[in-house]
């Protein structure tokens, strides 16, 4: 059954709670860490509630409120959230207090807010949702796992509406650890950043199709595991086979894809898998490297989905976003909004986690439903 994305919101390195980045994107600063641009929380959240929240929780609450308001459905049957590391700032506060106070007289607040499932729990309390609630934490496919869970819930009719979110917080201390791990900080790699995004998915077509603009449909998705050893580029045929099988279920081929949103971040070792996939299976399909706008983090794919959804609703992809790979010379001062070189009717979102886990997400326009 069609699954509509009828509400979405983001807080990222681009301007929050707006789609201004489509026509006037912010150029990422020349830094290895770029924090998200926060909206005015004071005007968006009750003061008494906001004081008890860390930054990550504030972001999750705001994007969820905005997505639910845009969807206009009133309530949700389930809440699913993906996060790589949860509320890092609260975790640091808790561990710092643990060290300073010799493991005695610790307040419970920072501990309660540092667990990975805190954002999903917060949303359930604020939305009075007593249904299914789950959190997925699987590094760079954390959000993908959450979205896949929401997809299965709705395909099996266990939920008609699901609020799906992705949240990632990167503090300066955590950024140091990520650099030591070799996850970020490489030459030519995009900056490490943060992400907060929320989506309302529903099968209630009668309520969704009242909108004049085309709606994005989550047509299909698949996930898989790749052997942890061996040449990264040699794993591309496995992903390609999964892609062909997914498209075949709908009578499509790669020629039916208008564009593919790739997770390329400029680091050659990381980009080897998507580059090989594109060269072998999607050689003539336009590419959009969304991380050049939003940066790199464990839940960057949530922002990739946000971009795909907005592009489908607009019906075209601005020329500046289309490239043959990474383009660090994008002119962020130019308005590309009226230049529609590429149609956006069927988009493929590709993601992977260190070439060991991958996901493929197929989005279509409601006017080109499968």
């Amino acid at each position: 059954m069609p699954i509509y994305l009828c509400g979405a919101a983001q807080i990222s390195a681009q301007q929050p709670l707006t789609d201004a980045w489509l026509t006037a994107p912010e150029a990422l600063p020349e830094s290895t860490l770029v924090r998200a641009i926060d909206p005015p929380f004071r005007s968006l959240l009750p003061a008494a509630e906001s004081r008890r929240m860390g930054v990550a929780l504030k972001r999750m609450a705001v994007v969820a409120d905005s997505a639910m308001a845009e969807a206009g459905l009133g309530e949700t049957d389930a809440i699913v959230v993906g996060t790589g590391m949860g509320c890092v700032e609260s975790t640091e506060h808790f561990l710092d207090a643990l060290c300073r106070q010799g493991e005695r007289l610790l307040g419970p607040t920072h501990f309660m807010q540092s667990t990975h499932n805190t954002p999903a729990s917060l949303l359930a309390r604020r939305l009075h949702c007593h249904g299914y609630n789950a959190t997925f934490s699987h590094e760079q496919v954390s959000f993908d796992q959450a979205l896949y869970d929401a997809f299965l819930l709705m395909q099996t009719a266990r939920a008609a509406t699901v609020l799906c979110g992705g949240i990632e917080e990167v503090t300066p201390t955590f950024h140091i650890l990520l650099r030591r791990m070799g996850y970020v900080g490489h030459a030519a790699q995009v900056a490490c950043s943060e992400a907060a995004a929320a989506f309302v998915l529903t099968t209630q077509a009668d309520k969704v199709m009242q909108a004049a603009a085309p709606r994005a449909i989550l047509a299909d998705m698949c996930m898989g595991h790749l052997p942890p050893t061996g040449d990264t580029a040699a794993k591309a045929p496995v992903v390609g086979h999964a892609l062909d099988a997914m498209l075949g279920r709908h009578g499509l081929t790669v020629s039916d894809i208008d564009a593919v949103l790739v997770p390329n971040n400029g680091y050659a070792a990381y980009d080897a898998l998507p580059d090989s996939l594109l060269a072998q299976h999607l050689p003539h399909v336009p590419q959009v490297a969304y991380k050049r706008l939003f940066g790199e983090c464990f839940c960057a794919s949530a922002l990739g989905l946000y971009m795909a959804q907005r592009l489908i609703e607009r019906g075209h992809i601005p020329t500046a976003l289309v490239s043959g790979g990474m383009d660090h010379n994008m002119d962020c001062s130019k308005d590309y909004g009226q230049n529609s070189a590429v149609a956006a009717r069927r988009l493929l979102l590709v993601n992977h986690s260190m070439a060991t886990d991958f996901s493929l997400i197929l989005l279509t326009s409601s006017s080109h439903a499968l």
Side-chain angles (χ1 to χ4, degrees), residues 84-132:
M85 291 299 295
C87 303
V88 176
E89 186 178 72
S90 295
T91 301
E92 290 181 359
H93 287 323
F94 172 71
L95 294 177
D96 287 343
L98 194 71
C99 294
R100 288 196 310 268
Q101 300 179 26
E103 303 182 16
R104 291 182 295 180
L105 303 176
L106 292 176
T109 302
H110 289 309
F111 172 74
M112 291 187 296
Q113 293 185 353
S114 68
T115 57
H116 286 64
N117 64 346
T118 303
S121 302
L122 171 74
L123 297 182
R125 179 179 59 80
R126 299 184 81 249
L127 297 174
H128 305 287
C129 176
H130 303 286
Y132 183 88

Side-chain angles (χ1 to χ4, degrees), residues 140 183-184 186-191 262-271 274 289 291-292 295-297 326 328 352 354:
Q140 288 164 286
Y183 178 68
V184 296
H186 300 280
Q189 187 177 15
V190 298
V262 294
N264 292 39
N265 63 20
Y267 178 39
Y270 184 87
D271 294 348
K291 289 182 180 179
R292 67 178 182 176
E296 176 65 274
C297 69
M326 289 299 297
H328 293 285
H352 72 98
M354 301 302 180

Side-chain angles (χ1 to χ4, degrees), residues 139-177:
E139 294 185 344
Q140 288 164 286
V141 292
S142 297
F143 173 75
D144 310 64
Q145 290 277 10
L147 183 65
Y148 193 45
D149 190 38
F151 177 77
L152 294 178
L153 283 172
M154 305 178 80
Q155 288 293 351
T156 56
R158 295 180 59 194
T161 302
V162 178
L163 175 62
C164 184
I167 181 71
E168 208 62 52
E169 184 179 26
V170 182
T171 64
T173 301
F174 183 47
H175 177 246
I176 293 173
L177 298 178

Side-chain angles (χ1 to χ4, degrees), residues 193-208:
S193 190
E194 301 173 301
F199 305 87
V200 178
L201 299 94
T202 185
T203 55
Q204 302 180 62
D206 56 331
K207 297 182 179 180
V208 174

